[in-house]
Amino acid sequence: MTDKAYALFEERQRARGIDLNVVREKLKSLAIETPSWGFGDSGTRFKVFRNGKAARTPYEKLEDAAEVHRLTGCCPSVAIHIPWDKTDSYGKLRSHAESLGVKIGAVNPNLFQEEEYMLGSVTNANAAIRRKATDHLLECVAIAKETGSKDLSLWFPDGTNYPGQGDIRARKVWMLEALKEVYAALTPDMRVLIEYKFFEPAFYHTDLVDWGMAFQLANKLGPQAQVLVDTGHHAPCTNVEHIVAYLLDECRLGGFHFNSRKYADDDLIVGAINPYELFLIFYQILDASADADPAVRGTVDAIAYMIDQSHNIEPKIEAAIRSVLNVQTQYAKALLIDREEVRAAQSEQDVLGAEDAVRKAFEFDVSPLLESIREEMGLPLDPMRAYKEGSYAERVGRRG
Amino acid sequence: MTDKAYALFEERQRARGIDLNVVREKLKSLAIETPSWGFGDSGTRFKVFRNGKAARTPYEKLEDAAEVHRLTGCCPSVAIHIPWDKTDSYGKLRSHAESLGVKIGAVNPNLFQEEEYMLGSVTNANAAIRRKATDHLLECVAIAKETGSKDLSLWFPDGTNYPGQGDIRARKVWMLEALKEVYAALTPDMRVLIEYKFFEPAFYHTDLVDWGMAFQLANKLGPQAQVLVDTGHHAPCTNVEHIVAYLLDECRLGGFHFNSRKYADDDLIVGAINPYELFLIFYQILDASADADPAVRGTVDAIAYMIDQSHNIEPKIEAAIRSVLNVQTQYAKALLIDREEVRAAQSEQDVLGAEDAVRKAFEFDVSPLLESIREEMGLPLDPMRAYKEGSYAERVGRRG
Amino acid sequence: MTDKAYALFEERQRARGIDLNVVREKLKSLAIETPSWGFGDSGTRFKVFRNGKAARTPYEKLEDAAEVHRLTGCCPSVAIHIPWDKTDSYGKLRSHAESLGVKIGAVNPNLFQEEEYMLGSVTNANAAIRRKATDHLLECVAIAKETGSKDLSLWFPDGTNYPGQGDIRARKVWMLEALKEVYAALTPDMRVLIEYKFFEPAFYHTDLVDWGMAFQLANKLGPQAQVLVDTGHHAPCTNVEHIVAYLLDECRLGGFHFNSRKYADDDLIVGAINPYELFLIFYQILDASADADPAVRGTVDAIAYMIDQSHNIEPKIEAAIRSVLNVQTQYAKALLIDREEVRAAQSEQDVLGAEDAVRKAFEFDVSPLLESIREEMGLPLDPMRAYKEGSYAERVGRRG
Amino acid sequence: MTDKAYALFEERQRARGIDLNVVREKLKSLAIETPSWGFGDSGTRFKVFRNGKAARTPYEKLEDAAEVHRLTGCCPSVAIHIPWDKTDSYGKLRSHAESLGVKIGAVNPNLFQEEEYMLGSVTNANAAIRRKATDHLLECVAIAKETGSKDLSLWFPDGTNYPGQGDIRARKVWMLEALKEVYAALTPDMRVLIEYKFFEPAFYHTDLVDWGMAFQLANKLGPQAQVLVDTGHHAPCTNVEHIVAYLLDECRLGGFHFNSRKYADDDLIVGAINPYELFLIFYQILDASADADPAVRGTVDAIAYMIDQSHNIEPKIEAAIRSVLNVQTQYAKALLIDREEVRAAQSEQDVLGAEDAVRKAFEFDVSPLLESIREEMGLPLDPMRAYKEGSYAERVGRRG
């Protein structure tokens, strides 16, 4: 059925004037970074459920990530978390990754798991704790040099729980001071990706609460500083794709942490709650990729697509595969938008025509396209089934 | 200064026609239940900070709670959590409480900390797990009989993370089945207080998501089932005092879990984020306490005021004292509303007059009143300072 | 291409065990009511834009609605609004509708456009205004008898803007009193559908603020009172499909007002902002339609699907067609859910399997199916294009 | 009682080390601008209620505003809206204002009430409409020169209702182009204050959706461009005082549009829904007013405090008086914060101590202070009562 389905798909898209060669190339080069911590156990404040099947060591996590890449063909790198992935030799870790066919991606410092950070890390009122936090960031830059990582993903848990608890403007200054040191330690090919978050673990004010604060911080640091959009880190009802478009236009979007939310930072599988939003994010990205300004196009090309989820109840590897498939699916759909049609309707002020030109791409079934590409790339047509029926799943089943 | 201040306060309120004897009596009889778990360490999903000063055993927690009662005079009972407060003899625990001058209040079952509950407790698709969960509830009824507790506070973490994951309507039936068993086990002087929550730890659907579902469940069970309002468990922007008024009018409000929120279920100190909301809740309660219907008035009299917070960064005992003071303060202010003035403005359709009649009570400084009452009751005028300067704080400081 | 596409679609669905005959029958019998006011000009508080093309009289509105039915085949009835559709002879209006091939659907009273209603209609503190409002409701019952309408859709703008402004519990009593009178006037084949709304035009408290209050009111009135779910009338982040499932299980869901929202009651075209939510609503409905309890199944059969939108910037008839197509599309997709597969995964506690069983139906392209059905029904394959190219659009273009 | 009350107040504050001379001076110099449109009828999309008592002409509006200033002593200027306050001679309007003891404040262009603006004003895809909109802005700059106004308050209704409807990045460019023209027309002592809004009247995307976009636009324009914070224009749960602190630290906060919200842009009386938030905004402002950096202090001094509300159901003049009193009250409370105490607790990491140092200032009753100042300034002690009992209210009562 696959061939027939693809033939029909091709016929239909060609009739619309879509160049499937371009679409296929873009899809084949889509790279989605998986996070090492996505393969370990995680939970809510109420409970971390453990069935003993999740990866425990950095080495095991890389193996799981490599399996996801082997099956999907689009996860060539793995983000690490320090100290969760701390090891005595990052060279060895890097070699291990490479031997598995993946490389080490973004390095993620951790500024929330030591007692000293209770009232803040780089924005702590205590200078010694700020020093310690900044040193950890610098340590992560050093690790990135060893692992060959180009991106440092910075998420700060810093904030306060009560009015008056902290000096909001002093903390702003301290944040900049710490980041300036980190920025100075980068090599010219490295970037800091600055993440913001609406709330949690701080419940009154969060030092980097929104894209605007992350953006201004990046502006102050320099061209190697960019904003990282975590799709779950916004106020209710926020139009995320608008922020994406804005940051691209300012050449300040560095990457994504993909996940789904319905309420807060729920960290569910990306594309599982509101797939249309994911599609619309890609629509903005693809729109910017055709911009007249090469700087905007270059920003699009350098976007780091990363998954960052908390698999509380899901088997970890399947959850990663599902996430990757969902991203691929929505990216593929966005590639089917007829940009000319959209632009024409927009300039004719044809509201419903423009809406239709975008939405109808979402309504196509792209599975024949994805299967055809997998076939071409020598990948299993159904990566999820291949995983479940494969020997790796069996090995994981024997863990614990 | 205190005497002068109270004299002036009295003069002013009498001029408004407020009967301070009634106000004082109501304030003296205000009882706020503290939770045993509020004296232990708690945290977010990122980290539980521990400085070794927090109470560790049920016995220590009762001692801390008793200290709060000794200082504030209005916390005569302590809620317990099973199994966190599990002990070999609940009779002994009860005696310990009584020897400290407090009694054991509501019993709170825990259905979220065992591996089996990953996909639900009383609404789990697996009948054996539902059985286990229901048995735990029945165990808590039995414990309540031993501790002399009259209320069972039921909060269910049950829900799903993804569309399709669970059969929403089957889970609704299972919930009712479990609760019917529990209800049947109550003695006639006991109540089940049914709590609802907007989300967390479930992120797609929560079986008891709002007051409406808890209310209908209570209706189906019978008159000993009531709704428990946790002030942090609502959708953004929800008018909580409206729900309070509604439930009182239906004689179905059983109690409160007090805390503050700005974003989600932040579990901060009650009254710290939006004190006016707490005042308005008490305004509705006091309004209902003057209802023509004795059933409504009786419902008001039976309200269980309980604190339920997560003190992530605060010293626990001070946090409890602050919470109690905040509740007292807003209750006192609400007692100063001139109900006649409000009613008159309401019937004259005087929008700004009615608003003013309520708000102006909020603007009074009630500290002279509270201090005068503390003096009369033989309590320290400033419970927080008394704690900090007292020997108990010193003892706690030596913990760990 | 259509035939080939349908053949492939059929092959694929049959391979999954989907009975397309059932699917086709259900789709052919889907009836969506359009609102007369959706064909007139409407706007925001800032501006009502008018280009003179929108229908002005009840007669013209019916003609526009009939055109939508002629093109889509699934809009056999039209809701009316009193007094917007006030006419000297409802018998004449009914005949006009029938001559156009449609009938008059729900009657919608209007309690927000007269000066007296500034501080409330049926919950106004002034008894004379309550009387006037109730009389208007009774007038609408009488009109419904003349037009042959079976449903009275009740939305109340009633609420307050400030704490203290109104007596929340007294207003609750007045609401019930008014509704009891209305209920008593119904013939046995009529229903009142009670709508709730989170806020607007009242900004502090809304008398019927959520499904729970509408539900309890319906319970008090009797079996002919049901809840009307407007998809835009919820707090941010609310799980609407959960409410739908709940109400169906209680046999109290009477109908929908369909529209889309991103922020508040935005009243955009249904399915345009989050199509997956619309699909998930139909998933719950179809799940309930297979319930063991005939009362639940009967409730599903009696659901009134109605559109209620505010077309501020869209051409009205095209907006209606787009809305109808979006509803059809998501309904068709939901019909492709393999219920057995979902149930099996749910009972095996296979979280990702169950999620997949639901989501994958959403990912099918149902356009071949919809076209095939339109062909069978003698309808234009593409109703939007047929409208744009047809003579009716031309006539509308000459309006104004 | 007033003298005694003030004596006690003074004693208490002096004991805390508060310099009441400073507090009194700051309070006496507080200036709050009222909006001309706040004295006219306004409403929701459902209805504008009119009782004929509201001001109709710009001249009448200035008279009402002058009455509010006469009674409160702190409303020396009045914002105008063009074309609502269009007149044949702005010199005459200015003289009229001056003869009444007030001056004309910010000029507010209106880009939402002409048919052409249906799909945007300065971001409309049609260049001619952008031209028209920009010309209107330039016209307002010219008017400001005639009225002696220093601030142009810019709020744009621009945005889209559907994905795809507009080219988000092109619109961003058009916005900047228009603003550059306006900026170039300013004299060196003028400012543009750029307002942002979360949503409405656009329901999918709003071109200037948050402080970050307004801020970056101001950055691009130059030092005479600042951000205007409307307290009702944020996503649910947003920490507004954090944004205020941030903008002050960047010297980019130009002013406020004060009002209250519970749900969306509800435009209720400021301080009526969450007075603590208003207090916390002033806490941040006063904190910045003591900054070491003179540029930050200068920014604080130049803040334009403006009221912008929609009085749908309230008598207009009383609503304005209530608004002013609420602002004064919270400002007065914030002036009682002991900054040293807060700083000390912050640096000792005393969470509850710092919270207490801020909150306790909120709990003081500042009415003796405000009355004492009014007495000194020769104002009525109770401006609301003075209005109700005065001849101006009688005159207004005869309107219509």
Side-chain angles (χ1 to χ4, degrees), chain A residues 235-249:
Chain A
C237 310
T238 299
N239 184 323
V240 179
E241 58 269 28
H242 182 191
I243 294 171
V244 167
Y246 192 96
L247 288 171
L248 283 172
D249 205 61

Side-chain angles (χ1 to χ4, degrees), chain B residues 288 290-297 339, chain C residues 169:
Chain B
D291 198 272
D293 182 349
V296 173
R297 297 200 306 270
R339 208 175 158 268
Chain C
R169 290 178 307 108

Side-chain angles (χ1 to χ4, degrees), chain A residues 6 9 13 16-30 286 328 331-337 366 369-370 373:
Chain A
Y6 186 70
F9 178 86
Q13 299 305 329
R16 297 178 61 228
I18 300 294
D19 183 344
L20 282 184
N21 291 327
V22 172
V23 168
R24 294 180 68 99
E25 282 319 302
K26 290 229 179 194
L27 267 170
K28 284 192 283 182
S29 62
L30 175 66
L286 291 169
Q328 269 190 324
Y331 184 59
K333 290 180 175 203
L335 285 165
L336 300 178
I337 297 171
V366 293
L369 172 63
L370 293 174
I373 285 168

Side-chain angles (χ1 to χ4, degrees), chain C residues 7-143:
Chain C
L8 190 70
F9 177 85
E10 200 173 27
E11 189 183 339
R12 198 164 170 197
Q13 298 305 327
R14 294 233 164 110
R16 298 177 60 227
I18 299 295
D19 182 344
L20 283 183
N21 291 328
V22 173
V23 168
R24 294 179 70 98
E25 283 319 302
K26 291 228 177 195
L27 267 170
K28 284 191 283 181
S29 61
L30 176 67
I32 305 163
E33 185 162 302
T34 58
S36 71
W37 59 94
F39 298 100
D41 282 319
S42 59
T44 69
R45 61 171 162 152
F46 297 102
K47 171 78 177 164
V48 178
F49 295 99
R50 303 183 192 280
N51 67 1
K53 307 298 182 202
R56 303 266 172 104
T57 69
Y59 290 83
E60 247 179 21
K61 289 172 187 176
L62 285 174
E63 285 156 27
D64 287 2
E67 172 70 5
V68 174
H69 182 48
R70 201 185 61 76
L71 293 164
T72 63
C74 62
C75 301
S77 65
V78 189
I80 60 171
H81 212 105
I82 305 299
W84 294 342
D85 294 322
K86 205 152 196 166
T87 179
D88 47 2
S89 161
Y90 290 98
K92 214 175 106 193
L93 195 70
R94 181 183 184 164
S95 305
H96 183 66
E98 285 165 6
S99 76
L100 294 161
V102 292
K103 58 184 179 141
I104 292 179
V107 177
N108 291 252
N110 177 323
L111 294 168
F112 54 82
Q113 286 204 318
E114 296 181 57
E115 295 291 332
E116 289 94 331
Y117 297 149
M118 187 170 84
L119 302 180
S121 66
V122 292
T123 65
N124 199 298
N126 181 330
I129 298 174
R130 295 202 299 275
R131 184 68 257 151
K132 177 186 154 106
T134 308
D135 285 344
H136 175 59
L137 297 177
L138 294 170
E139 176 198 3
C140 287
V141 174
I143 289 171

